[in-house]
Amino acid sequence: MHRITDEQRRIRIGRRHLLAPSLRAGSPVTVAEALIGLHATDAATVFLSTCARLRNPDAGTVEAALYEDVSLVRMLSMRNTLFVVSDGLAPQVRASNAHTVAAKERRKLVKHLAEDGQGLDERWLADTEDATLAALTARGSATGSELSAAVPALRTKITIFPGKKQEAVQGIATRVLRVLAAEGRIRRDRPRGSWTSSQFRWTASTPHPEMETSSAQAELALHWLRAYGPATEADLAWWTGWGLGQVRKALAAAQAVDVRLDGGGTAWVAPGDEAPDAEPEPWAALLPALDPSAMGWADRDFHLAPGLRAPLFDRSGNIGPTVWWNGRIIGGWAQRADGEPVWRLLTDAGREASTAVEAEASRLRTWVGDARVTPRFRTPLERELTA
């Protein structure tokens, strides 16, 4: 059995997540495919994650991929989380994850309608969805409030969790749009503000072709191993949200190869991927909150010292903006109100690292321009740096 050390795993992050020539000279789609998916819960993360990896970072090229040629697709998928994936990988992600998430969202909404007691049922929901799609198609693009004005049913209010402590009255529009988006029948169009805004318009869409679930999971697992392997069953289960049985079937179908990690644990790599990567030139990166390289594994001890968790994570386990040096997280960064990036190194990585981080901060400042970025999930260090 091959052995892959922690240092070799850190080298792979540099080679496959940041420094691959095809990645640096590529496009937003190249980045999304290399990382399998970009976290999109925070709209700015998609742009920051992409541009951190491109030789010529530009928010406009990311916007074009999202809203013009739609070569990047937003999907509610892994762990019921919003991701951006390439159009080429979207069918695998939909069949292996997003389809299940969408079905759960629909069941939940139908249950809320039934419990509300107004006689609203699946037929009412289908009619409301048809009217919403017709209004959206006629307009081409619309906000949720514009659709509510055009479709009276979307202005309906229901009581969720009636008789319970968490009872609340809510409008139905957001929930209907969420189900339609989860099913791929509508998608987010350009935001109402800049690329940092989370207030989107909507436009009609066509769901991706259906794939058989098990084959889609095997393909997705293989792609993921090429980017994140070696990784354990627990890592893949965490990243996908699959059960352990699904993980093992997907690894077997992908013909994954077992390897030994530092400390004696067993992990998996893609077939033929046992050999170590060549060590790259020293590198630094400023990656955003929820970046895939920071969120790709359940166990991150090989690139994140346990003592750095408290300042870099919020209380829900979301990682904030991070500073990287040669495959390790060594600190965090933030953007001040005047637009200036500011950072703090939480471990002494030497003068070369400090110089490289400063150069990355300057590059970030140049392409971000007048945009202001505040992470949706704020961490202790990020708050402190912007205070």
Side-chain angles (χ1 to χ4, degrees):
M1 181 184 296
H2 283 80
R3 179 171 177 267
I4 298 181
T5 67
D6 286 349
E7 178 60 26
Q8 289 168 350
R9 296 180 77 183
R10 292 189 287 268
I11 288 171
R12 286 190 175 206
I13 292 178
R15 280 290 187 193
R16 304 182 186 199
H17 290 207
L18 272 299
L19 302 177
S22 60
L23 193 67
R24 302 295 280 179
S27 67
V29 175
T30 310
V31 173
E33 289 181 339
L35 299 171
I36 315 305
L38 305 170
H39 283 260
T41 305
D42 190 335
T45 295
V46 177
F47 291 81
L48 293 167
S49 289
T50 300
C51 289
R53 294 167 166 88
L54 295 177
R55 185 174 295 129
N56 299 306
D58 174 43
T61 63
V62 183
E63 289 181 308
L66 284 167
Y67 310 122
E68 293 176 15
D69 60 35
V70 198
S71 52
L72 292 181
V73 182
R74 278 189 175 88
M75 304 179 78
L76 196 62
S77 52
M78 284 72 73
R79 305 187 310 281
N80 203 16
T81 299
L82 194 63
F83 276 81
V84 161
V85 302
S86 72
D87 186 61
L89 272 178
Q92 290 89 336
V93 174
R94 177 162 298 283
S96 62
N97 284 81
H99 182 76
T100 300
V101 170
K104 182 178 179 180
E105 290 292 324
R106 177 169 291 279
R107 288 195 302 270
K108 183 165 61 175
L109 177 52
V110 170
K111 181 180 179 182
H112 284 319
L113 294 176
E115 292 175 344
D116 177 62
Q118 296 185 55
L120 308 179
D121 56 14
E122 293 182 69
R123 181 68 263 169
W124 179 89
L125 177 58
D127 291 342
T128 301
E129 291 170 332
D130 288 344
T132 301
L133 290 170
L136 190 55
T137 301
R139 286 162 174 76
S141 179
T143 64
S145 58
E146 289 169 344
L147 289 171
S148 293
V151 182
L154 289 178
R155 301 195 291 272
T156 303
K157 294 185 180 297
I158 62 171
T159 300
I160 63 171
F161 305 115
K164 298 181 180 179
K165 184 178 180 179
Q166 61 268 46
E167 178 179 315
V169 176
Q170 293 185 351
I172 199 71
T174 299
R175 291 181 176 272
V176 172
L177 293 174
R178 181 178 174 88
V179 169
L180 289 172
E183 293 177 346
R185 295 198 281 167
I186 65 174
R187 62 174 175 83
R188 293 190 186 195
D189 203 6
R190 288 186 178 273
R192 298 179 66 179
S194 74
W195 55 267
T196 65
S197 174
S198 293
Q199 297 183 355
F200 287 88
R201 301 177 69 83
W202 296 97
T203 190
S205 184
T206 302
H208 286 84
E210 293 291 336
M211 285 185 65
E212 197 272 325
T213 300
S214 60
S215 61
Q217 289 179 337
E219 287 187 37
L220 188 62
L222 182 59
H223 280 284
W224 186 82
L225 285 174
R226 287 171 178 158
Y228 296 92
T232 66
E233 291 178 348
D235 290 328
L236 182 55
W238 178 86
W239 189 84
T240 58
W242 300 339
L244 188 56
Q246 291 175 301
V247 165
R248 289 174 174 169
K249 287 180 180 179
L251 289 172
Q255 299 182 342
V257 178
D258 56 333
V259 295
R260 184 70 61 183
L261 298 177
D262 281 356
T266 299
W268 301 87
V269 297
D273 202 19
E274 302 93 329
D277 288 30
E279 187 169 359
E281 293 295 318
W283 62 273
L286 270 62
L287 300 183
L290 302 177
D291 185 83
S293 295
M295 298 286 289
W297 303 265
D299 183 0
R300 304 161 196 163
D301 287 349
F302 73 98
H303 68 67
L304 174 66
L308 303 189
R309 291 178 180 271
L312 294 176
F313 285 77
D314 71 4
R315 293 181 179 179
S316 299
N318 300 300
I319 197 166
T322 50
V323 176
W324 290 68
W325 174 244
N326 291 341
R328 294 180 188 269
I329 295 176
I330 62 170
W333 66 276
Q335 186 191 36
R336 287 178 173 159
D338 64 0
E340 192 67 26
V342 58
W343 64 93
R344 181 178 301 164
L345 304 187
L346 301 175
T347 184
D348 183 6
R351 183 183 298 274
E352 185 181 17
S354 297
T355 301
V357 170
E358 187 170 355
E360 283 300 305
S362 177
R363 193 173 86 105
L364 175 69
R365 179 71 177 90
T366 299
W367 79 259
V368 166
D370 295 332
R372 297 294 177 266
V373 178
T374 300
R376 181 171 179 175
F377 305 106
R378 305 195 69 185
T379 56
L381 181 57
E382 189 273 334
R383 289 181 181 274
E384 187 177 342
L385 291 172
T386 55

Short mmCIF file of all heavy atoms in Angstrom, two decimals, residues 74-112:
data_model
loop_
_atom_site.label_atom_id
_atom_site.label_comp_id
_atom_site.label_asym_id
_atom_site.label_seq_id
_atom_site.Cartn_x
_atom_site.Cartn_y
_atom_site.Cartn_z
N ARG A 74 -25.61 27.63 -10.65
CA ARG A 74 -25.86 27.55 -9.21
C ARG A 74 -26.84 26.41 -8.94
O ARG A 74 -27.86 26.30 -9.60
CB ARG A 74 -26.46 28.86 -8.69
CG ARG A 74 -25.44 29.94 -8.40
CD ARG A 74 -26.11 31.11 -7.68
NE ARG A 74 -25.13 32.11 -7.29
CZ ARG A 74 -24.75 33.13 -8.06
NH1 ARG A 74 -25.28 33.25 -9.27
NH2 ARG A 74 -23.87 34.01 -7.63
N MET A 75 -26.52 25.60 -7.92
CA MET A 75 -27.37 24.47 -7.59
C MET A 75 -27.39 24.28 -6.08
O MET A 75 -26.36 24.35 -5.41
CB MET A 75 -26.86 23.18 -8.24
CG MET A 75 -26.71 23.23 -9.73
SD MET A 75 -26.06 21.68 -10.42
CE MET A 75 -27.53 20.68 -10.37
N LEU A 76 -28.57 24.02 -5.54
CA LEU A 76 -28.71 23.60 -4.16
C LEU A 76 -28.40 22.11 -4.15
O LEU A 76 -29.15 21.30 -4.67
CB LEU A 76 -30.14 23.86 -3.68
CG LEU A 76 -30.40 23.84 -2.18
CD1 LEU A 76 -29.60 24.91 -1.45
CD2 LEU A 76 -31.89 24.01 -1.90
N SER A 77 -27.26 21.75 -3.58
CA SER A 77 -26.80 20.37 -3.78
C SER A 77 -26.13 19.81 -2.54
O SER A 77 -26.82 19.57 -1.54
CB SER A 77 -25.86 20.30 -5.00
OG SER A 77 -24.82 21.26 -4.90
N MET A 78 -24.82 19.62 -2.56
CA MET A 78 -24.14 18.91 -1.49
C MET A 78 -24.46 19.51 -0.12
O MET A 78 -24.34 20.71 0.06
CB MET A 78 -22.62 18.92 -1.72
CG MET A 78 -22.13 17.96 -2.80
SD MET A 78 -22.55 18.46 -4.50
CE MET A 78 -21.43 19.83 -4.76
N ARG A 79 -24.88 18.65 0.81
CA ARG A 79 -25.22 19.06 2.17
C ARG A 79 -26.30 20.14 2.19
O ARG A 79 -26.33 20.99 3.08
CB ARG A 79 -23.97 19.55 2.93
CG ARG A 79 -22.83 18.54 2.97
CD ARG A 79 -21.70 19.00 3.87
NE ARG A 79 -21.27 20.36 3.60
CZ ARG A 79 -20.47 20.73 2.60
NH1 ARG A 79 -20.03 19.81 1.73
NH2 ARG A 79 -20.11 21.98 2.45
N ASN A 80 -27.19 20.12 1.19
CA ASN A 80 -28.26 21.11 1.10
C ASN A 80 -27.69 22.53 1.07
O ASN A 80 -28.27 23.46 1.62
CB ASN A 80 -29.24 20.95 2.27
CG ASN A 80 -30.61 21.53 1.94
OD1 ASN A 80 -30.93 21.78 0.79
ND2 ASN A 80 -31.40 21.77 2.96
N THR A 81 -26.52 22.67 0.43
CA THR A 81 -25.81 23.94 0.36
C THR A 81 -25.77 24.43 -1.07
O THR A 81 -25.72 23.63 -2.01
CB THR A 81 -24.36 23.75 0.90
OG1 THR A 81 -24.41 23.33 2.26
CG2 THR A 81 -23.56 25.04 0.81
N LEU A 82 -25.78 25.75 -1.25
CA LEU A 82 -25.73 26.33 -2.58
C LEU A 82 -24.30 26.29 -3.12
O LEU A 82 -23.38 26.80 -2.48
CB LEU A 82 -26.25 27.77 -2.55
CG LEU A 82 -26.58 28.42 -3.89
CD1 LEU A 82 -27.71 27.67 -4.59
CD2 LEU A 82 -26.96 29.88 -3.67
N PHE A 83 -24.12 25.68 -4.29
CA PHE A 83 -22.83 25.59 -4.94
C PHE A 83 -22.94 26.17 -6.35
O PHE A 83 -24.03 26.22 -6.94
CB PHE A 83 -22.36 24.14 -5.07
CG PHE A 83 -21.67 23.59 -3.86
CD1 PHE A 83 -22.40 23.11 -2.78
CD2 PHE A 83 -20.28 23.53 -3.79
CE1 PHE A 83 -21.77 22.60 -1.65
CE2 PHE A 83 -19.64 23.02 -2.68
CZ PHE A 83 -20.38 22.55 -1.61
N VAL A 84 -21.80 26.56 -6.91
CA VAL A 84 -21.69 26.85 -8.33
C VAL A 84 -20.81 25.76 -8.94
O VAL A 84 -19.70 25.52 -8.46
CB VAL A 84 -21.08 28.24 -8.58
CG1 VAL A 84 -20.54 28.35 -10.00
CG2 VAL A 84 -22.11 29.32 -8.34
N VAL A 85 -21.33 25.10 -9.96
CA VAL A 85 -20.59 24.04 -10.64
C VAL A 85 -20.57 24.34 -12.13
O VAL A 85 -21.35 25.15 -12.63
CB VAL A 85 -21.22 22.65 -10.39
CG1 VAL A 85 -21.28 22.36 -8.90
CG2 VAL A 85 -22.61 22.56 -11.00
N SER A 86 -19.67 23.69 -12.86
CA SER A 86 -19.64 23.87 -14.31
C SER A 86 -20.84 23.19 -14.94
O SER A 86 -21.39 22.21 -14.40
CB SER A 86 -18.35 23.29 -14.88
OG SER A 86 -18.38 21.87 -14.83
N ASP A 87 -21.24 23.71 -16.08
CA ASP A 87 -22.36 23.10 -16.79
C ASP A 87 -22.06 21.64 -17.14
O ASP A 87 -22.96 20.80 -17.18
CB ASP A 87 -22.66 23.90 -18.05
CG ASP A 87 -23.91 23.43 -18.77
OD1 ASP A 87 -24.99 23.47 -18.15
OD2 ASP A 87 -23.81 23.01 -19.94
N GLY A 88 -20.78 21.33 -17.36
CA GLY A 88 -20.41 19.96 -17.70
C GLY A 88 -20.58 18.99 -16.56
O GLY A 88 -20.87 17.80 -16.79
N LEU A 89 -20.40 19.45 -15.31
CA LEU A 89 -20.56 18.58 -14.14
C LEU A 89 -21.95 18.66 -13.53
O LEU A 89 -22.29 17.87 -12.65
CB LEU A 89 -19.52 18.94 -13.07
CG LEU A 89 -18.16 18.25 -13.16
CD1 LEU A 89 -17.24 18.76 -12.06
CD2 LEU A 89 -18.30 16.74 -13.08
N ALA A 90 -22.77 19.60 -14.00
CA ALA A 90 -24.08 19.80 -13.40
C ALA A 90 -24.97 18.55 -13.43
O ALA A 90 -25.65 18.25 -12.44
CB ALA A 90 -24.79 20.97 -14.07
N PRO A 91 -25.00 17.77 -14.53
CA PRO A 91 -25.85 16.57 -14.51
C PRO A 91 -25.46 15.57 -13.43
O PRO A 91 -26.32 14.96 -12.78
CB PRO A 91 -25.67 15.99 -15.91
CG PRO A 91 -25.28 17.15 -16.76
CD PRO A 91 -24.43 18.00 -15.87
N GLN A 92 -24.15 15.39 -13.21
CA GLN A 92 -23.69 14.47 -12.16
C GLN A 92 -24.07 14.98 -10.77
O GLN A 92 -24.51 14.21 -9.92
CB GLN A 92 -22.18 14.27 -12.24
CG GLN A 92 -21.71 13.48 -13.45
CD GLN A 92 -21.45 14.36 -14.66
OE1 GLN A 92 -21.99 15.45 -14.79
NE2 GLN A 92 -20.59 13.89 -15.56
N VAL A 93 -23.91 16.28 -10.56
CA VAL A 93 -24.25 16.85 -9.26
C VAL A 93 -25.76 16.78 -9.03
O VAL A 93 -26.22 16.47 -7.93
CB VAL A 93 -23.76 18.30 -9.17
CG1 VAL A 93 -24.24 18.97 -7.89
CG2 VAL A 93 -22.23 18.34 -9.23
N ARG A 94 -26.53 17.04 -10.08
CA ARG A 94 -27.99 16.98 -9.92
C ARG A 94 -28.45 15.57 -9.58
O ARG A 94 -29.24 15.37 -8.66
CB ARG A 94 -28.69 17.46 -11.20
CG ARG A 94 -30.22 17.34 -11.10
CD ARG A 94 -30.92 18.18 -12.14
NE ARG A 94 -30.66 19.60 -11.98
CZ ARG A 94 -31.22 20.37 -11.05
NH1 ARG A 94 -32.09 19.84 -10.18
NH2 ARG A 94 -30.94 21.64 -10.98
N ALA A 95 -27.95 14.59 -10.30
CA ALA A 95 -28.41 13.21 -10.08
C ALA A 95 -27.92 12.65 -8.76
O ALA A 95 -28.62 11.87 -8.12
CB ALA A 95 -27.95 12.33 -11.23
N SER A 96 -26.72 13.04 -8.34
CA SER A 96 -26.15 12.45 -7.13
C SER A 96 -26.56 13.18 -5.86
O SER A 96 -26.53 12.59 -4.78
CB SER A 96 -24.62 12.42 -7.23
OG SER A 96 -24.11 13.73 -7.34
N ASN A 97 -26.95 14.46 -5.97
CA ASN A 97 -27.27 15.23 -4.78
C ASN A 97 -28.49 16.14 -4.93
O ASN A 97 -29.41 16.10 -4.11
CB ASN A 97 -26.08 16.11 -4.37
CG ASN A 97 -24.97 15.34 -3.71
OD1 ASN A 97 -24.17 14.72 -4.39
ND2 ASN A 97 -24.92 15.35 -2.40
N ALA A 98 -28.48 16.98 -5.96
CA ALA A 98 -29.48 18.04 -6.06
C ALA A 98 -30.90 17.51 -6.22
O ALA A 98 -31.85 18.10 -5.71
CB ALA A 98 -29.13 18.97 -7.21
N HIS A 99 -31.05 16.39 -6.92
CA HIS A 99 -32.39 15.83 -7.12
C HIS A 99 -33.01 15.45 -5.77
O HIS A 99 -34.20 15.74 -5.51
CB HIS A 99 -32.31 14.61 -8.03
CG HIS A 99 -33.64 13.99 -8.32
ND1 HIS A 99 -34.54 14.54 -9.21
CD2 HIS A 99 -34.25 12.88 -7.82
CE1 HIS A 99 -35.64 13.80 -9.25
NE2 HIS A 99 -35.48 12.79 -8.42
N THR A 100 -32.22 14.84 -4.90
CA THR A 100 -32.71 14.46 -3.57
C THR A 100 -33.05 15.69 -2.74
O THR A 100 -34.07 15.72 -2.04
CB THR A 100 -31.66 13.61 -2.84
OG1 THR A 100 -31.41 12.43 -3.61
CG2 THR A 100 -32.13 13.21 -1.46
N VAL A 101 -32.20 16.71 -2.82
CA VAL A 101 -32.44 17.95 -2.08
C VAL A 101 -33.74 18.61 -2.56
O VAL A 101 -34.56 19.05 -1.74
CB VAL A 101 -31.25 18.91 -2.25
CG1 VAL A 101 -31.59 20.30 -1.70
CG2 VAL A 101 -30.02 18.37 -1.57
N ALA A 102 -33.95 18.65 -3.87
CA ALA A 102 -35.16 19.26 -4.42
C ALA A 102 -36.41 18.52 -3.97
O ALA A 102 -37.43 19.14 -3.63
CB ALA A 102 -35.07 19.30 -5.95
N ALA A 103 -36.36 17.19 -3.99
CA ALA A 103 -37.52 16.41 -3.56
C ALA A 103 -37.83 16.68 -2.09
O ALA A 103 -39.01 16.78 -1.69
CB ALA A 103 -37.24 14.92 -3.78
N LYS A 104 -36.80 16.82 -1.28
CA LYS A 104 -37.00 17.12 0.15
C LYS A 104 -37.62 18.50 0.34
O LYS A 104 -38.51 18.69 1.17
CB LYS A 104 -35.66 17.03 0.87
CG LYS A 104 -35.76 17.26 2.37
CD LYS A 104 -34.40 17.10 3.04
CE LYS A 104 -34.49 17.35 4.54
NZ LYS A 104 -33.16 17.20 5.20
N GLU A 105 -37.15 19.48 -0.45
CA GLU A 105 -37.70 20.83 -0.36
C GLU A 105 -39.18 20.84 -0.73
O GLU A 105 -39.99 21.51 -0.10
CB GLU A 105 -36.92 21.77 -1.28
CG GLU A 105 -35.51 22.08 -0.81
CD GLU A 105 -35.49 22.89 0.47
OE1 GLU A 105 -36.36 23.77 0.65
OE2 GLU A 105 -34.58 22.66 1.30
N ARG A 106 -39.55 20.08 -1.78
CA ARG A 106 -40.96 20.03 -2.18
C ARG A 106 -41.81 19.36 -1.10
O ARG A 106 -42.90 19.84 -0.77
CB ARG A 106 -41.09 19.30 -3.52
CG ARG A 106 -42.54 19.15 -3.98
CD ARG A 106 -42.63 18.68 -5.42
NE ARG A 106 -42.18 19.72 -6.33
CZ ARG A 106 -42.94 20.75 -6.73
NH1 ARG A 106 -44.19 20.87 -6.29
NH2 ARG A 106 -42.47 21.64 -7.57
N ARG A 107 -41.33 18.26 -0.55
CA ARG A 107 -42.10 17.58 0.51
C ARG A 107 -42.31 18.50 1.71
O ARG A 107 -43.39 18.53 2.30
CB ARG A 107 -41.39 16.30 0.95
CG ARG A 107 -41.43 15.17 -0.05
CD ARG A 107 -41.03 13.85 0.59
NE ARG A 107 -39.70 13.90 1.18
CZ ARG A 107 -38.58 13.60 0.53
NH1 ARG A 107 -38.63 13.24 -0.75
NH2 ARG A 107 -37.40 13.65 1.13
N LYS A 108 -41.27 19.24 2.04
CA LYS A 108 -41.37 20.14 3.19
C LYS A 108 -42.40 21.24 2.93
O LYS A 108 -43.18 21.56 3.83
CB LYS A 108 -39.99 20.75 3.47
CG LYS A 108 -39.94 21.65 4.69
CD LYS A 108 -38.50 21.91 5.11
CE LYS A 108 -37.70 22.60 4.04
NZ LYS A 108 -36.33 22.95 4.51
N LEU A 109 -42.41 21.79 1.73
CA LEU A 109 -43.37 22.84 1.42
C LEU A 109 -44.79 22.30 1.42
O LEU A 109 -45.71 22.93 1.96
CB LEU A 109 -43.03 23.48 0.07
CG LEU A 109 -43.99 24.56 -0.43
CD1 LEU A 109 -44.21 25.64 0.62
CD2 LEU A 109 -43.48 25.16 -1.74
N VAL A 110 -45.01 21.14 0.81
CA VAL A 110 -46.34 20.53 0.79
C VAL A 110 -46.83 20.25 2.21
O VAL A 110 -48.01 20.47 2.53
CB VAL A 110 -46.33 19.24 -0.06
CG1 VAL A 110 -47.64 18.47 0.11
CG2 VAL A 110 -46.10 19.57 -1.53
N LYS A 111 -45.93 19.82 3.07
CA LYS A 111 -46.30 19.57 4.47
C LYS A 111 -46.72 20.86 5.16
O LYS A 111 -47.72 20.90 5.89
CB LYS A 111 -45.13 18.94 5.20
CG LYS A 111 -45.43 18.61 6.67
CD LYS A 111 -44.22 17.99 7.35
CE LYS A 111 -44.53 17.68 8.82
NZ LYS A 111 -43.36 17.11 9.52
N HIS A 112 -45.99 21.94 4.93
CA HIS A 112 -46.35 23.23 5.53
C HIS A 112 -47.72 23.69 5.03
O HIS A 112 -48.53 24.22 5.81
CB HIS A 112 -45.30 24.30 5.18
CG HIS A 112 -44.03 24.18 5.96
ND1 HIS A 112 -44.00 23.88 7.31
CD2 HIS A 112 -42.74 24.35 5.58
CE1 HIS A 112 -42.75 23.86 7.73
NE2 HIS A 112 -41.97 24.13 6.71
#
